[in-house]
Amino acid sequence: MSELTDPWHFPRPDLAQAYLQGFDLGLTSARGLFARRRMGKSEFLKHDLLPAALRAGYLAAYVNLWDDTDHPGQALATAIAQATQPKGLGKFWEDLNTPIRKLKGGGKLPLGIEGSLELDLADKEKAAVPAIQAALQAADKARTRLLLVIDEAQVLAAPQHKAVAHSLRAGLDIRKPGIKVLFAGSSEAALREMFSRAAAPFYNWAPLEPFPLLGREFVEAMVKQLAAVARQPLKLDDALAAFAALKETPEFFRWYIERYLMYQQQGSEQALKYTQARVHDDSSYARVWKELSRADRAVLLLAARGVQDLYGAQALKQLQELLDSADVTASAPRTSIRRLTGARLQLMARVDHGAYRFEDPEFQTWVAARRTID
């Protein structure tokens, strides 16, 4: 895995070493991290943690399960095999192809390796189980510690991936000294379900904690880097104010820095206004809203307006008004919440009994501005 050079990357070597030290000391073989989207989590994993692991003598495998949400097992097997036997990846899938053929089918194997498989989703998940087992056995032969980083790991919480999750846990359980695992994700609710629900394959398997977020030091570093290339350096106070206005979201702040650099003569205020307009582009939010049921929209609207107890009598009365139906029962908000916090939608996270928060604060602002659910 090559270490890419990005002059705008804010390195966090101490944080990377802290995670590796926890693994090195044998305190744990797995841990879970969560942070909402655009907070710099994936960038840290790929550009800080994995390179540090390689320098420390680990093999390093990274997979983002959002790259193939339908087939996480195949993505996991490919990542592990690529880390442990990169030159033999084609042979790895070729060897697996023979038994998998018996499932019958056609289609494409990972990374464009052609096969004659035409499997439905259930069969592809079956094919993924032996693939994971074979990849872990290949890791055994490498005789080198492996750091497996699973980004957007909450995909594994989906019911259709239960067989893959069980197979992965079984394989990792017997390899704790040699394979260290970091589960990361953008949905706190889905990750908590993975690790705290008794029936879940990864129940009690890894401690879950928030990813340490970027703050003033990050802003200072961006301002310093900007000063090296800009004709009109950005004032630190303006940058800090912009970071706060953008809800301390690193990716949005990078958009702001980019806009300022391209149009320095317009100043910080205009760069911030442009960035905020880009952030609040509602095209994606409108698409999500349109795909939801009216009941789900009603629950979201109540939550966005600050209703604390979504299961209470007052909330039920408001739901009946929004849906214009007296037939709405107490089960309605519970059913909607299960969908809204589930691995597929990941729109809300539980903070207490009946109380939930939005995974994306900008989406909450967008929803709160709506007058109706239609």
Side-chain angles (χ1 to χ4, degrees):
M1 185 174 298
S2 61
E3 193 170 346
L4 301 178
T5 300
D6 176 4
W8 297 97
H9 171 63
F10 179 67
R12 307 177 77 180
D14 291 344
L15 183 59
Q17 287 303 320
Y19 290 138
L20 290 177
Q21 187 176 39
F23 291 138
D24 291 342
L25 293 175
L27 298 175
T28 182
S29 62
R31 65 194 310 164
L33 300 175
F34 63 86
R36 59 185 173 88
R37 299 165 197 167
R38 306 180 188 274
M39 301 307 288
K41 168 180 52 64
S42 295
E43 181 174 333
F44 165 78
L45 296 174
K46 290 189 285 188
H47 300 312
D48 290 315
L49 182 61
L50 293 178
L54 289 169
R55 290 192 295 268
Y58 282 86
L59 296 175
Y62 172 86
V63 59
N64 188 323
L65 296 186
W66 266 357
D67 290 341
D68 192 353
T69 55
D70 287 338
H71 313 119
Q74 293 185 19
L76 282 160
T78 297
I80 297 169
Q82 192 167 31
T84 57
Q85 48 176 348
K87 294 181 179 179
L89 188 61
K91 187 176 185 302
F92 171 80
W93 286 105
E94 182 84 20
D95 291 345
L96 277 171
N97 192 24
T98 300
I100 291 173
R101 280 180 195 273
K102 296 177 182 178
L103 295 172
K104 79 181 179 185
K108 291 185 178 180
L109 287 170
L111 301 184
I113 301 169
E114 298 298 329
S116 58
L117 309 174
E118 274 179 6
L119 309 178
D120 60 25
L121 180 58
D123 282 343
K124 282 184 177 177
E125 289 301 275
K126 292 176 185 176
V129 169
I132 288 175
Q133 293 169 346
L136 291 173
Q137 289 167 7
D140 294 338
K141 296 175 183 177
R143 299 186 181 279
T144 303
R145 292 179 305 172
L146 171 68
L147 175 63
L148 173 59
V149 176
I150 307 175
D151 207 351
E152 302 302 345
Q154 68 272 3
V155 169
L156 291 173
Q160 64 267 34
H161 302 317
K162 193 172 183 179
V164 165
H166 273 296
S167 176
L168 182 63
R169 170 163 182 169
L172 294 174
D173 262 340
I174 60 174
R175 294 176 171 87
K176 288 184 178 181
I179 301 181
K180 310 302 179 182
V181 190
L182 192 145
F183 298 88
S186 56
S187 172
E188 178 186 351
L191 284 174
R192 290 202 181 280
E193 183 178 352
M194 275 183 65
F195 298 119
S196 62
R197 188 166 57 87
F202 282 100
Y203 174 63
N204 266 352
W205 207 74
L208 187 61
E209 60 194 78
F211 174 66
L213 302 182
L214 294 168
R216 184 185 178 97
E217 289 184 354
F218 164 70
V219 176
E220 290 174 345
M222 294 298 101
V223 169
K224 183 178 179 180
Q225 178 63 26
L226 186 64
V229 296
R231 295 186 306 275
Q232 301 178 33
L234 178 63
K235 294 180 181 178
L236 178 60
D237 285 347
D238 289 341
L240 289 169
F243 189 57
L246 295 169
K247 295 182 171 59
E248 300 184 345
T249 306
E251 184 171 344
F252 295 158
F253 186 73
R254 291 277 291 263
W255 293 356
Y256 157 79
I257 290 290
E258 177 187 6
R259 179 69 182 185
Y260 178 86
L261 184 59
M262 293 178 64
Y263 299 93
Q264 297 171 46
Q265 70 280 5
Q266 294 182 3
S268 172
E269 184 177 351
Q270 289 302 314
L272 176 58
K273 286 182 178 179
Y274 175 89
T275 305
Q276 288 175 317
R278 181 180 174 185
V279 168
H280 292 116
D281 176 9
D282 68 359
S283 58
S284 61
Y285 294 152
R287 184 169 59 253
V288 171
W289 184 258
K290 184 179 179 181
E291 292 173 353
L292 296 173
S293 70
R294 295 183 79 251
D296 292 353
R297 294 179 201 169
V299 170
L300 280 177
L301 189 54
L302 291 186
R305 290 175 176 175
V307 175
Q308 294 298 309
D309 184 4
L310 292 171
Y311 300 151
Q314 282 293 93
L316 180 59
K317 182 179 179 181
Q318 293 179 65
L319 281 177
Q320 291 172 340
E321 293 173 354
L322 285 170
L323 294 168
D324 193 23
S325 172
D327 295 331
V328 178
T329 66
S331 65
R334 297 181 187 277
T335 301
S336 287
I337 285 295
R338 278 198 296 272
R339 286 194 292 266
L340 296 170
T341 59
R344 188 179 74 84
L345 293 177
Q346 299 176 27
L347 295 177
M348 302 190 73
R350 183 178 185 273
V351 294
D352 200 353
H353 177 72
Y356 295 81
R357 65 167 173 77
F358 280 72
E359 293 276 18
D360 181 352
E362 296 300 332
F363 185 45
Q364 178 177 1
T365 301
W366 185 89
V367 173
R370 301 190 67 84
R371 295 182 179 179
T372 70
I373 61 173
D374 297 314

Coordinates of all heavy atoms in Angstrom, one line a residue, residues 295-364:
A295 N -45.1 8.1 6.7 CA -44.9 7.9 8.2 C -43.5 8.2 8.6 O -43.2 8.9 9.6 CB -45.3 6.5 8.5
D296 N -42.5 7.7 7.8 CA -41.1 8.0 8.1 C -40.8 9.5 8.0 O -40.1 10.0 8.9 CB -40.2 7.2 7.1 CG -40.3 5.7 7.3 OD1 -40.9 5.3 8.3 OD2 -39.7 5.0 6.5
R297 N -41.4 10.2 7.0 CA -41.2 11.6 6.9 C -41.7 12.3 8.1 O -41.1 13.3 8.7 CB -41.8 12.1 5.7 CG -41.3 11.7 4.4 CD -42.1 12.3 3.2 NE -41.9 11.5 2.0 CZ -42.6 11.7 0.9 NH1 -43.6 12.6 0.9 NH2 -42.4 11.0 -0.2
A298 N -42.9 11.9 8.6 CA -43.5 12.5 9.7 C -42.7 12.4 11.0 O -42.5 13.3 11.8 CB -44.9 11.9 10.0
V299 N -42.1 11.2 11.2 CA -41.3 11.0 12.4 C -40.0 11.9 12.3 O -39.6 12.5 13.3 CB -40.9 9.5 12.5 CG1 -39.8 9.3 13.6 CG2 -42.1 8.7 12.9
L300 N -39.4 11.9 11.1 CA -38.3 12.8 10.9 C -38.6 14.3 11.2 O -37.8 15.0 11.8 CB -37.7 12.6 9.5 CG -36.9 11.4 9.2 CD1 -36.5 11.4 7.7 CD2 -35.6 11.4 10.0
L301 N -39.7 14.7 10.7 CA -40.1 16.1 10.9 C -40.3 16.4 12.4 O -39.8 17.5 12.9 CB -41.4 16.4 10.1 CG -41.8 17.9 10.0 CD1 -40.7 18.7 9.5 CD2 -43.1 18.0 9.2
L302 N -40.9 15.5 13.1 CA -41.0 15.7 14.6 C -39.7 15.8 15.3 O -39.4 16.6 16.1 CB -41.9 14.6 15.2 CG -43.3 14.5 14.9 CD1 -44.0 13.4 15.7 CD2 -44.0 15.9 15.1
A303 N -38.8 14.9 14.9 CA -37.4 14.9 15.5 C -36.7 16.1 15.1 O -36.0 16.7 16.0 CB -36.7 13.6 15.0
A304 N -36.8 16.6 13.9 CA -36.1 17.8 13.5 C -36.6 19.0 14.2 O -35.9 20.0 14.4 CB -36.3 18.0 12.0
R305 N -37.9 19.0 14.6 CA -38.5 20.1 15.3 C -38.2 20.0 16.8 O -38.7 20.9 17.6 CB -40.0 20.1 15.1 CG -40.4 20.5 13.7 CD -41.9 20.4 13.4 NE -42.3 20.8 12.1 CZ -43.5 20.7 11.6 NH1 -44.5 20.2 12.4 NH2 -43.8 21.2 10.4
G306 N -37.5 19.0 17.2 CA -37.1 19.0 18.6 C -37.9 18.1 19.6 O -37.7 18.2 20.8
V307 N -38.8 17.3 19.0 CA -39.6 16.4 19.9 C -38.7 15.4 20.5 O -38.0 14.7 19.8 CB -40.7 15.7 19.0 CG1 -41.5 14.7 19.9 CG2 -41.7 16.8 18.5
Q308 N -38.7 15.4 21.8 CA -37.8 14.5 22.6 C -38.2 13.1 22.7 O -37.4 12.2 22.6 CB -37.5 15.1 24.0 CG -36.8 16.5 23.9 CD -35.4 16.4 23.3 OE1 -34.6 15.6 23.7 NE2 -35.2 17.3 22.3
D309 N -39.5 12.9 23.0 CA -40.0 11.5 23.2 C -40.9 11.1 22.0 O -42.1 11.4 22.0 CB -40.8 11.5 24.5 CG -41.3 10.0 24.8 OD1 -40.9 9.1 24.1 OD2 -42.0 9.8 25.8
L310 N -40.3 10.5 21.1 CA -41.0 10.1 19.9 C -42.1 9.0 20.1 O -42.9 8.7 19.2 CB -40.1 9.7 18.8 CG -39.2 10.8 18.2 CD1 -38.1 10.3 17.3 CD2 -40.0 11.9 17.5
Y311 N -42.0 8.4 21.2 CA -42.9 7.3 21.6 C -44.1 7.8 22.5 O -45.0 7.0 22.8 CB -42.2 6.1 22.2 CG -41.1 5.5 21.4 CD1 -40.0 4.9 22.0 CD2 -41.2 5.5 20.0 CE1 -39.0 4.3 21.3 CE2 -40.2 4.9 19.3 CZ -39.1 4.3 19.9 OH -38.1 3.7 19.1
G312 N -44.0 9.0 22.9 CA -45.0 9.5 23.8 C -46.4 9.9 23.2 O -46.5 9.9 22.0
A313 N -47.3 10.2 24.1 CA -48.7 10.5 23.7 C -48.7 11.7 22.8 O -49.5 11.8 21.8 CB -49.6 10.6 24.9
Q314 N -47.9 12.7 23.2 CA -47.9 14.0 22.5 C -47.4 13.8 21.1 O -47.9 14.3 20.1 CB -47.1 15.0 23.2 CG -47.8 15.7 24.4 CD -49.0 16.5 23.9 OE1 -50.1 16.1 23.9 NE2 -48.7 17.8 23.6
A315 N -46.3 13.0 21.0 CA -45.8 12.7 19.6 C -46.8 12.0 18.8 O -46.9 12.3 17.6 CB -44.5 11.9 19.8
L316 N -47.5 11.0 19.4 CA -48.5 10.3 18.6 C -49.6 11.2 18.1 O -50.0 11.1 16.9 CB -49.1 9.2 19.5 CG -50.1 8.3 18.8 CD1 -49.6 7.6 17.6 CD2 -50.7 7.3 19.8
K317 N -50.0 12.1 18.9 CA -51.0 13.1 18.5 C -50.6 13.9 17.3 O -51.3 14.1 16.3 CB -51.4 14.0 19.7 CG -52.5 15.0 19.3 CD -52.9 15.8 20.6 CE -54.0 16.8 20.2 NZ -54.3 17.6 21.4
Q318 N -49.3 14.4 17.4 CA -48.7 15.2 16.3 C -48.6 14.3 15.0 O -48.8 14.9 13.9 CB -47.4 15.8 16.7 CG -47.5 16.8 17.8 CD -46.1 17.3 18.2 OE1 -45.5 18.0 17.4 NE2 -45.7 17.1 19.4
L319 N -48.2 13.1 15.2 CA -48.1 12.2 14.0 C -49.5 12.0 13.3 O -49.6 12.0 12.1 CB -47.6 10.8 14.4 CG -46.1 10.7 14.6 CD1 -45.8 9.3 15.1 CD2 -45.3 11.0 13.4
Q320 N -50.5 11.9 14.1 CA -51.9 11.7 13.6 C -52.3 13.0 12.8 O -52.9 12.9 11.7 CB -52.9 11.5 14.7 CG -52.7 10.1 15.3 CD -53.5 9.9 16.6 OE1 -54.0 10.9 17.2 NE2 -53.8 8.7 17.0
E321 N -51.8 14.1 13.3 CA -52.2 15.4 12.6 C -51.4 15.5 11.3 O -51.9 15.9 10.3 CB -51.8 16.6 13.5 CG -52.8 16.7 14.7 CD -52.3 17.8 15.7 OE1 -51.2 18.3 15.5 OE2 -53.0 18.0 16.7
L322 N -50.1 15.2 11.3 CA -49.3 15.3 10.1 C -49.7 14.3 9.1 O -49.7 14.6 7.9 CB -47.8 15.0 10.5 CG -47.0 16.1 11.2 CD1 -45.7 15.6 11.7 CD2 -46.8 17.3 10.3
L323 N -50.2 13.1 9.5 CA -50.6 12.1 8.5 C -52.1 12.2 8.2 O -52.6 11.4 7.4 CB -50.3 10.7 9.1 CG -48.8 10.4 9.2 CD1 -48.6 9.1 10.0 CD2 -48.2 10.2 7.8
D324 N -52.8 13.1 8.9 CA -54.2 13.4 8.7 C -55.0 12.1 8.9 O -55.8 11.7 8.0 CB -54.4 14.0 7.3 CG -55.9 14.5 7.2 OD1 -56.5 14.8 8.3 OD2 -56.4 14.6 6.1
S325 N -54.7 11.4 10.0 CA -55.4 10.1 10.2 C -55.4 9.8 11.7 O -54.3 9.8 12.4 CB -54.6 8.9 9.5 OG -55.2 7.7 9.8
A326 N -56.6 9.5 12.2 CA -56.7 9.1 13.6 C -56.4 7.7 13.9 O -56.3 7.2 15.0 CB -58.1 9.4 14.1
D327 N -56.1 6.9 12.8 CA -55.8 5.5 12.9 C -54.4 5.2 13.2 O -54.0 4.0 13.3 CB -56.2 4.8 11.6 CG -57.7 4.9 11.3 OD1 -58.5 5.0 12.3 OD2 -58.1 4.9 10.2
V328 N -53.5 6.2 13.2 CA -52.1 6.0 13.5 C -52.0 5.5 14.9 O -52.4 6.2 15.9 CB -51.3 7.3 13.3 CG1 -49.8 7.0 13.6 CG2 -51.4 7.7 11.9
T329 N -51.3 4.3 15.1 CA -51.2 3.8 16.5 C -49.8 4.0 17.0 O -48.9 4.4 16.3 CB -51.5 2.3 16.4 OG1 -50.5 1.6 15.6 CG2 -52.9 2.0 15.8
A330 N -49.6 3.6 18.3 CA -48.3 3.7 18.9 C -47.2 2.9 18.3 O -46.0 3.2 18.5 CB -48.5 3.3 20.4
S331 N -47.6 1.9 17.5 CA -46.5 1.1 16.9 C -45.9 1.8 15.7 O -44.8 1.5 15.2 CB -47.1 -0.2 16.4 OG -48.1 0.0 15.4
A332 N -46.6 2.8 15.1 CA -46.1 3.5 13.9 C -44.7 4.2 14.1 O -43.9 4.0 13.3 CB -47.2 4.6 13.5
P333 N -44.5 5.0 15.2 CA -43.2 5.6 15.3 C -42.1 4.6 15.5 O -41.0 4.7 15.1 CB -43.3 6.5 16.5 CG -44.5 6.0 17.3 CD -45.5 5.5 16.2
R334 N -42.4 3.5 16.2 CA -41.4 2.4 16.5 C -41.0 1.8 15.2 O -39.8 1.5 14.9 CB -42.0 1.4 17.4 CG -42.3 1.9 18.8 CD -42.8 0.9 19.8 NE -43.2 1.5 21.0 CZ -42.4 1.8 22.0 NH1 -41.1 1.5 21.9 NH2 -42.9 2.3 23.2
T335 N -42.0 1.5 14.3 CA -41.7 0.9 13.0 C -40.8 1.8 12.2 O -39.9 1.4 11.5 CB -43.0 0.6 12.3 OG1 -43.8 -0.3 13.1 CG2 -42.7 -0.1 10.9
S336 N -41.2 3.1 12.1 CA -40.4 4.1 11.4 C -39.0 4.2 11.9 O -38.0 4.3 11.1 CB -41.1 5.4 11.4 OG -42.3 5.4 10.6
I337 N -38.9 4.3 13.2 CA -37.5 4.4 13.8 C -36.6 3.2 13.5 O -35.4 3.4 13.2 CB -37.7 4.6 15.4 CG1 -38.2 6.0 15.7 CG2 -36.3 4.3 16.0 CD1 -37.2 7.1 15.3
R338 N -37.2 2.0 13.4 CA -36.4 0.9 13.1 C -35.8 1.0 11.7 O -34.7 0.7 11.4 CB -37.2 -0.4 13.2 CG -37.3 -1.0 14.6 CD -37.8 -2.4 14.5 NE -39.1 -2.6 14.0 CZ -40.2 -2.5 14.7 NH1 -40.1 -2.3 16.0 NH2 -41.4 -2.7 14.2
R339 N -36.7 1.6 10.8 CA -36.2 1.8 9.4 C -35.2 3.0 9.3 O -34.1 2.9 8.7 CB -37.4 2.1 8.5 CG -38.2 0.9 8.1 CD -39.1 1.2 6.9 NE -40.2 2.2 7.3 CZ -41.4 1.9 7.7 NH1 -41.7 0.6 7.9 NH2 -42.3 2.8 8.0
L340 N -35.5 4.0 10.0 CA -34.6 5.2 10.0 C -33.2 5.1 10.6 O -32.3 5.7 10.3 CB -35.3 6.4 10.6 CG -36.6 6.9 9.9 CD1 -37.4 7.9 10.8 CD2 -36.3 7.5 8.5
T341 N -33.2 4.1 11.6 CA -31.9 3.9 12.2 C -31.2 2.6 11.7 O -30.1 2.3 12.1 CB -32.1 3.7 13.8 OG1 -33.0 2.6 14.0 CG2 -32.6 4.9 14.4
G342 N -31.8 1.9 10.8 CA -31.3 0.7 10.2 C -30.1 0.9 9.3 O -29.8 2.0 8.9
A343 N -29.4 -0.2 9.0 CA -28.2 -0.1 8.2 C -28.4 0.4 6.8 O -27.5 1.0 6.2 CB -27.6 -1.5 8.1
R344 N -29.7 0.3 6.3 CA -29.9 0.7 4.9 C -30.0 2.3 4.8 O -29.4 2.9 4.0 CB -31.1 0.1 4.3 CG -31.3 0.4 2.8 CD -32.6 -0.3 2.3 NE -33.8 0.4 2.7 CZ -34.3 1.4 2.1 NH1 -33.7 2.0 1.0 NH2 -35.4 1.9 2.5
L345 N -30.8 2.9 5.7 CA -31.0 4.3 5.7 C -30.0 5.1 6.5 O -29.5 6.1 6.1 CB -32.4 4.6 6.2 CG -33.6 4.1 5.3 CD1 -34.9 4.4 5.9 CD2 -33.5 4.8 3.9
Q346 N -29.8 4.7 7.8 CA -28.8 5.3 8.7 C -29.1 6.8 8.8 O -28.1 7.6 8.7 CB -27.4 5.1 8.2 CG -27.0 3.6 8.1 CD -25.6 3.4 7.5 OE1 -24.8 4.3 7.6 NE2 -25.4 2.3 6.9
L347 N -30.3 7.2 8.9 CA -30.6 8.6 9.0 C -30.6 9.1 10.5 O -30.4 10.3 10.7 CB -32.0 8.9 8.4 CG -32.1 8.6 6.9 CD1 -33.5 8.8 6.3 CD2 -31.1 9.5 6.1
M348 N -30.9 8.2 11.4 CA -31.0 8.7 12.8 C -30.2 7.7 13.7 O -30.0 6.5 13.4 CB -32.4 8.8 13.3 CG -33.3 9.7 12.4 SD -34.9 10.0 13.2 CE -34.4 11.0 14.5
A349 N -29.9 8.2 14.9 CA -29.2 7.4 15.9 C -29.9 7.6 17.3 O -30.3 8.6 17.6 CB -27.7 7.8 16.0
R350 N -29.9 6.5 18.0 CA -30.6 6.5 19.3 C -29.7 7.1 20.4 O -28.5 6.8 20.5 CB -31.0 5.1 19.8 CG -31.7 5.0 21.1 CD -32.1 3.5 21.4 NE -32.9 3.4 22.6 CZ -32.4 3.3 23.8 NH1 -31.1 3.3 24.0 NH2 -33.2 3.1 24.8
V351 N -30.2 8.0 21.2 CA -29.4 8.6 22.3 C -30.0 8.3 23.6 O -29.4 8.4 24.7 CB -29.3 10.2 22.1 CG1 -28.5 10.5 20.9 CG2 -30.7 10.8 22.0
D352 N -31.3 7.9 23.7 CA -32.0 7.5 24.9 C -33.3 6.9 24.5 O -33.7 6.9 23.3 CB -32.2 8.7 25.8 CG -32.4 8.3 27.3 OD1 -32.6 7.1 27.5 OD2 -32.5 9.2 28.1
H353 N -34.0 6.3 25.5 CA -35.3 5.7 25.1 C -36.3 6.7 24.5 O -36.6 7.7 25.2 CB -36.0 5.1 26.4 CG -37.3 4.5 26.1 ND1 -37.5 3.3 25.5 CD2 -38.6 5.0 26.5 CE1 -38.8 3.1 25.4 NE2 -39.4 4.0 26.0
G354 N -36.7 6.5 23.3 CA -37.6 7.4 22.6 C -37.0 8.6 22.1 O -37.6 9.4 21.4
A355 N -35.7 8.9 22.4 CA -35.0 10.1 21.9 C -33.9 9.7 20.9 O -33.1 8.8 21.1 CB -34.3 10.8 23.1
Y356 N -33.9 10.4 19.8 CA -33.0 10.1 18.7 C -32.4 11.4 18.1 O -33.0 12.5 18.2 CB -33.8 9.4 17.6 CG -34.2 8.0 18.0 CD1 -35.4 7.9 18.7 CD2 -33.5 6.9 17.8 CE1 -35.8 6.6 19.2 CE2 -33.9 5.6 18.2 CZ -35.1 5.5 18.9 OH -35.5 4.3 19.4
R357 N -31.3 11.3 17.5 CA -30.7 12.5 16.8 C -30.4 12.1 15.3 O -30.3 10.9 15.0 CB -29.4 12.9 17.5 CG -28.3 11.9 17.4 CD -27.0 12.5 17.8 NE -25.9 11.5 17.9 CZ -25.3 11.0 16.9 NH1 -25.6 11.3 15.7 NH2 -24.3 10.1 17.1
F358 N -30.3 13.1 14.5 CA -29.9 12.9 13.1 C -28.5 12.6 13.0 O -27.6 13.1 13.7 CB -30.2 14.2 12.3 CG -31.7 14.4 12.0 CD1 -32.6 14.7 12.9 CD2 -32.1 14.2 10.7 CE1 -34.0 14.9 12.6 CE2 -33.5 14.4 10.3 CZ -34.4 14.7 11.3
E359 N -28.2 11.6 12.1 CA -26.8 11.3 11.8 C -26.1 12.5 11.0 O -24.9 12.7 11.2 CB -26.7 10.1 10.9 CG -27.1 8.8 11.6 CD -26.0 8.2 12.4 OE1 -25.0 8.8 12.8 OE2 -26.2 7.0 12.8
D360 N -26.9 13.2 10.3 CA -26.4 14.4 9.5 C -27.1 15.6 9.9 O -28.2 15.8 9.6 CB -26.6 14.1 8.0 CG -26.1 15.2 7.1 OD1 -25.7 16.2 7.6 OD2 -26.1 15.1 5.9
P361 N -26.4 16.5 10.7 CA -27.0 17.7 11.1 C -27.6 18.6 10.0 O -28.5 19.4 10.2 CB -25.9 18.5 11.9 CG -24.9 17.4 12.3 CD -25.0 16.4 11.1
E362 N -26.9 18.6 8.8 CA -27.4 19.4 7.7 C -28.7 18.9 7.2 O -29.6 19.7 6.8 CB -26.4 19.4 6.6 CG -25.0 20.1 7.0 CD -25.2 21.5 7.4 OE1 -26.1 22.2 6.9 OE2 -24.4 22.0 8.2
F363 N -28.9 17.6 7.3 CA -30.2 17.0 6.9 C -31.3 17.4 7.9 O -32.4 17.7 7.5 CB -30.1 15.5 6.7 CG -31.3 14.8 6.2 CD1 -32.0 15.3 5.1 CD2 -31.8 13.7 6.8 CE1 -33.2 14.7 4.6 CE2 -33.0 13.1 6.3 CZ -33.6 13.6 5.2
Q364 N -30.9 17.5 9.1 CA -31.9 17.9 10.2 C -32.3 19.3 9.9 O -33.5 19.7 10.0 CB -31.2 17.8 11.5 CG -32.2 18.3 12.6 CD -31.6 18.2 14.0 OE1 -30.5 17.7 14.2 NE2 -32.4 18.6 15.0

